[in-house]
Each structure stands twice: as C-alpha cells, then as structure tokens.
Amino acid sequence: MKKFTDFLVRNALLVLLLFLALVLAGYRSFVNVPVDAFPDITPKQVVIYTESPGNSAEDIEKIVTYPIESAMAGLAGVKKIVSTSMFGLSYVAIFFEENYDIYFLRQLVAERLSRVDIPKGWGKPVLGPNTTGLGQVFWYVLEDKDSRYDLKYLRELQEYLVSPMLKSIEGVEEVVTWGGFEKRYQILIDTKRLQALEVTFSDLIDALAASNMTVGGQYLRQNGERYLIRATSLFEDLEDIESIVVKSEGPSSVTVGDLAIVSEAAAPRFGAVSLNGSERVFAMVLQRSGTNAAKVVESIKERIAQIESALPSGVTIRPIYDRSQITQKAIDTMSSALAMGALLVALILFLFLFEIRSALIVIISLPISLAVAFLLMERFGISANLMSLSGLAIAVGMIVDAAIVLVENSFRLMQQRRDLSKIELISISVSEVARPIIFAVLIVSAVFLPLLMLDGLAGKLYRPMAVNIVFAMAGSLIVALFLVSVL
C-alpha cells in the first residue's frame, strides 16, 4: 500500500486529471439519469386486449379469453395470469419474473398470440401499450372557449391532429382518448325494402366491402412510356355510399340509397368525461417503460405549444395533471435535504478539525462521492426519485468518515515526525489506516444488505435507497484511498 500511495502522490497531476474526468462524467450522469417522483413498484407485465363489440361476457370468456390464457400459460418466467371478460372486451394480463427484459417478453407473447385461433368476427387480440401503472404522466382536456364546435368535432381534432403529434414524441407510448362523440357513418336498413327488392343482408354487406377499396393493375406501355394503372374507389362522401350498386337486373339497378338511410352518427357510448359539470374531450398521455418522466413531460409541453398553433381559433389544450409538478417537489425536497446535510457536515468538520485545509479536503470528498453514485445509478438504470435520493441524503454523514480518518492521521504524523518528508509521512499514514477504512466501509455497507434481499413490492420500494447508499460509500472509499492523499 505504501508503494501505491507513493506512486499516487508523485503523480498528483495525473490523479487530479483522472478525478476531474470522473466529476465531469458524474455530472453528465446527474443530468441524464431518469427523474421521477417515486420508484416504479408495478410488476413486470404484458397486457392483451381484444375488442369484441356486441358480444356477452360469457361468450367472450369461452371463445376469446380462455384460448389466450391457455396459450400464455407455458411462457418462460410467467408468475401468474389474470383475466377479465366483460361486454365487448377481453382483458388478459400476464405477470413475469423481474429478471426478464420487457421487450423480450412482449416478443414471446406476440409469437404465442399469433397462434391463437379466434373465430372471425370475435375481434383481433392486440398487445397493450408498453407502460406501467405509473406511466400516466400528463392529462389534458380539449376546450372550446368560444363554444363554436361540438364534442364530435373536438373528438376528431383530438384523434386526427393532437394525438398523432403527441405520439411522435420520444418516450410517449400511447395517448388514450375519452369523452366526446366518436364519428361513425351509419346505414339504417329498411328491412321491408330488402324483402320487396329481393336483396339479402349479406348482399348489402358484400357490396359495401367490395366498393370501398383501391386496387392496382400493373402498367400499360405506350409510345415508349409506362403508365401505371390503378382503380380507386374509396368513399369520399355520403353520396358515394348511397350510390353503391347492390343488385343489377337488366337496365335497372338497386343501390344502397334504395335500401337504407346513410348518415353521420356517433359510436355507442358507455360513459362520458366531465370537468366542473361540463362534458369535455379528455386524453391521457402514457410514458414508455424505462424513460425519463421529466424529459417526456417537458417534450409534451413544447409540442403542445406547436399543436395549439394548428388548432382552430378558440380551441386550446388545458392540462389537468402534470407529473413534473410532483416530481419537482420530490426532487426539491431531497435536494434541500442533501444541501442542508452537506452544510452541517462542513460546519461540524471545521469546528472539530479547526483547520481550513483539512476541512476543505474532507468537504471535497462529498460531491465527488456523489458523482460516483450518479455514475453507477446511470449504469444500473436507477432513476432519481424520492427513495433513491433519500439514500444519498442518509449517506451524506457517512461519506466523509473515511476521508476524516485519513486526513486526521496524516496531520497527526506530520506534527509528530519531522524527520521524514511529507510524501513519506502521507504514505505511512495511508498504509496505517487503509485496511481499517476498507473494513469500516464494508461493514457499513453490509448493514443495508438485508434491504437488497427484499423481494416484490418492498424490494422495489426500498432497494433503490439501499443501493444508492452502497454506491455513495463505494465512492467515498475511492476518494479516500486515491484522492485524499494527493490533496
């Protein structure tokens, strides 16, 4: 250890440059580490939705939900499967072990889901968004201040303008819309006309399906040029639907307009969203798993300013819930606790050591140890939240212990022995206390090992705090053994 300390002290400039690089890397990690209010305690899961309009819960359970559950039962890492069947909807949630990657799990589920045989007309199973129970980062309503537009038009603006622009933000997984009236084109069939004109219901459905499409016809070569051939028959207005020929006999033909009334309408609703007693169009932005909630919300706010410039006059986006507010409160709380703790430690150090140089050396170990902690946080994917930052706040008083012991012993030897050079005295001092310092840090870290062993909800809640304390203690040990002797 003495030779190693001699090398450090004699190459002080190299050591200082290395620690300067460490501090800069730690600051970069401090800026880039994901920020949230609380640790995500939701279990790792993949959700499968199947919309089956008009079908009862009992039939959906037998024909849709049970086959999906059976197909997912043998997947690797499955802990349990929970399902719910209700009118028009099947919901299946598969919970997995925590040591699996979520994208790998979604791929496994998608592969199994492609082999599930759901009868035609009973819906198509789809994977739910890659988010968690804490993924709701932003809620808003679409408001018309001048009361010029109805809820159906506001719903169209939300679905075809606002939602696509928000989904293009990095970190946004899904935008869920509620309220208003979902636009539909409805065909009200007159059954007596069907019988009188000898047209079946299937004839009408087949004619509608065959008429609303676009097909290609290769190309035509003429005069050395190539002309692409295509047939476009997509509906553009209600008259296009009414003019579809369902049955043709000789010179006369039967169209959809002869059999039914075609009109704009709204899809059947199961509820509404209101704010202060008035019905509104409401939306919720879901954050993708593992992304930085603070950056996602900041990007959402910037994009909303762009979206509002494209909305009609009088229509605005009014935020209802903003995750960044509670996140900022949590960060401010822990930041003030860290700053106050560091200030108290510095004051007490100066009062007890009563020597400015030694107090400054010990105080410098605080930010550098925290920089090491943030480096490790980014490396292991731990977000900065109320629990993880509380670990750093708890560790502030313990971070300086190793540096204090080394500084105190060095100053003691320099006062007692005048026959040796300062470099030799510092080397002797470090070799005397290095082993006790290492053992002391390991013992303090070992106290928090039981928290690292916690599983389930308690583990997700308390493990970030314990891990951060260990990270900070490791940083304090590195600073004490490598930097304090040089300083």
Side-chain angles (χ1 to χ4, degrees):
M1 191 70 191
K2 186 175 181 300
K3 292 182 180 180
F4 180 68
T5 307
D6 285 341
F7 173 79
L8 292 178
V9 176
R10 296 182 190 280
N11 296 275
L13 182 60
L14 176 62
V15 175
L16 292 175
L17 289 175
L18 289 174
F19 271 89
L20 178 62
L22 180 67
V23 170
L24 293 176
Y27 177 77
R28 185 191 64 83
S29 298
F30 169 75
V31 174
N32 294 331
V33 73
V35 180
D36 211 337
F38 311 105
D40 194 344
I41 59 175
T42 54
K44 193 160 286 187
Q45 62 176 315
V46 178
V47 176
I48 301 172
Y49 296 99
T50 308
E51 291 188 20
S52 185
N55 294 312
S56 66
E58 291 129 347
D59 293 336
I60 289 176
E61 176 68 27
K62 292 184 214 173
I63 299 175
V64 179
T65 305
Y66 179 72
I68 294 175
E69 282 185 300
S70 301
M72 302 300 158
L75 280 176
V78 172
K79 292 174 66 176
K80 65 177 179 178
I81 299 175
V82 178
S83 67
T84 302
S85 299
M86 60 188 75
F87 175 72
L89 179 67
S90 167
Y91 168 90
V92 180
I94 307 108
F95 295 88
F96 293 91
E97 300 287 347
E98 292 297 327
N99 57 336
Y100 286 87
D101 179 69
I102 186 62
Y103 293 99
F104 172 70
L105 295 176
R106 290 174 69 86
Q107 181 181 354
L108 289 180
V109 172
E111 289 175 356
R112 287 288 184 92
L113 197 60
S114 64
R115 300 200 294 265
V116 177
D117 186 17
I118 304 296
K120 186 178 180 181
W122 284 84
K124 182 181 179 181
V126 295
L127 296 184
N130 180 20
T131 186
T132 67
L134 295 179
Q136 304 176 21
V137 294
F138 198 82
W139 298 356
Y140 64 90
V141 294
L142 214 59
E143 287 189 333
D144 177 17
K145 295 182 178 180
D146 301 331
S147 302
R148 294 195 300 172
Y149 305 103
D150 58 10
L151 292 173
K152 186 170 69 172
Y153 181 73
L154 293 177
R155 174 75 181 234
E156 288 181 40
L157 287 176
Q158 165 59 26
E159 290 188 342
Y160 299 110
L161 176 63
V162 181
S163 181
M165 292 186 71
L166 290 177
K167 285 181 181 178
S168 64
I169 297 173
E170 183 180 359
V172 172
E173 178 68 16
E174 185 61 81
V175 179
V176 182
T177 304
W178 290 312
F181 296 92
E182 195 172 355
K183 186 178 179 180
R184 289 289 186 273
Y185 295 100
Q186 67 178 12
I187 300 174
L188 302 176
I189 302 172
D190 187 342
T191 55
K192 293 182 180 179
R193 296 285 294 170
L194 285 179
Q195 294 175 355
L197 297 173
E198 297 181 352
V199 177
T200 64
F201 183 76
S202 298
D203 292 338
L204 181 57
I205 298 298
D206 292 341
L208 288 168
S211 299
N212 188 35
M213 63 174 61
T214 297
V215 294
Q218 292 296 335
Y219 64 91
L220 175 67
R221 187 185 295 276
Q222 185 175 1
N223 297 328
E225 294 185 356
R226 180 184 296 175
Y227 297 91
L228 299 179
I229 301 173
R230 65 190 185 98
T232 303
S233 181
L234 297 176
F235 299 147
E236 294 184 359
D237 50 36
L238 297 179
E239 287 73 18
D240 289 345
I241 302 176
E242 292 174 344
S243 61
I244 293 172
V245 176
V246 180
K247 181 181 178 182
S248 180
E249 291 183 354
S252 62
S253 61
V254 179
T255 64
V256 172
D258 298 328
L259 304 171
I261 299 174
V262 183
S263 62
E264 287 188 12
R269 299 202 303 168
F270 296 93
V273 178
S274 64
L275 178 67
N276 299 328
S278 300
E279 190 175 348
R280 305 294 174 87
V281 175
F282 170 88
M284 178 174 64
V285 183
L286 300 179
Q287 165 198 357
R288 186 173 297 118
S289 299
T291 53
N292 190 332
K295 288 188 176 180
V296 171
V297 174
E298 182 181 352
S299 300
I300 290 172
K301 291 178 179 178
E302 293 175 357
R303 185 60 56 84
I304 284 177
Q306 300 175 9
I307 295 172
E308 287 188 327
S309 64
L311 291 174
S313 176
V315 179
T316 59
I317 297 175
R318 176 182 174 185
I320 299 298
Y321 168 75
D322 179 355
R323 170 77 72 80
S324 62
Q325 295 175 353
I326 188 172
T327 300
Q328 192 58 47
K329 287 182 180 179
I331 298 302
D332 289 344
T333 299
M334 295 318 303
S335 299
S336 61
L338 275 169
M340 186 62 68
L343 183 63
L344 289 173
V345 168
L347 181 62
I348 292 172
L349 280 174
F350 179 73
L351 292 176
F352 275 85
L353 296 176
F354 213 71
E355 212 274 334
I356 294 178
R357 182 171 50 170
S358 58
L360 285 176
I361 292 174
V362 176
I363 292 169
I364 287 173
S365 67
L366 271 172
I368 300 177
S369 300
L370 294 178
V372 174
F374 277 106
L375 264 175
L376 295 173
M377 284 174 65
E378 185 185 28
R379 172 65 181 81
F380 290 95
I382 299 175
S383 66
N385 53 64
L386 196 63
M387 295 302 293
S388 62
L389 293 181
S390 68
L392 297 182
I394 292 171
V396 163
M398 299 181 287
I399 287 174
V400 296
D401 290 348
I404 289 175
V405 171
L406 202 151
V407 168
E408 183 66 21
N409 192 50
S410 298
F411 273 86
R412 179 184 63 81
L413 286 179
M414 284 189 288
Q415 290 175 356
Q416 292 178 355
R417 301 187 61 175
R418 305 286 184 178
D419 55 327
L420 298 175
S421 66
K422 184 181 290 187
I423 292 177
E424 291 176 326
L425 287 174
I426 292 173
S427 300
I428 294 171
S429 172
V430 173
S431 61
E432 286 179 352
V433 297
R435 184 175 295 179
I437 286 174
I438 294 172
F439 281 132
V441 171
L442 291 177
I443 290 171
V444 171
S445 301
V447 172
F448 297 95
L449 285 179
L451 291 178
L452 299 177
M453 304 299 177
L454 291 176
D455 197 9
L457 176 65
K460 288 192 171 187
L461 190 61
Y462 293 107
R463 195 180 295 120
M465 178 184 70
V467 168
N468 261 13
I469 292 175
V470 175
F471 287 167
M473 295 304 296
S476 70
L477 185 61
I478 293 171
V479 172
L481 296 179
F482 290 87
L483 181 65
V484 169
S485 57
V486 173
L487 294 177

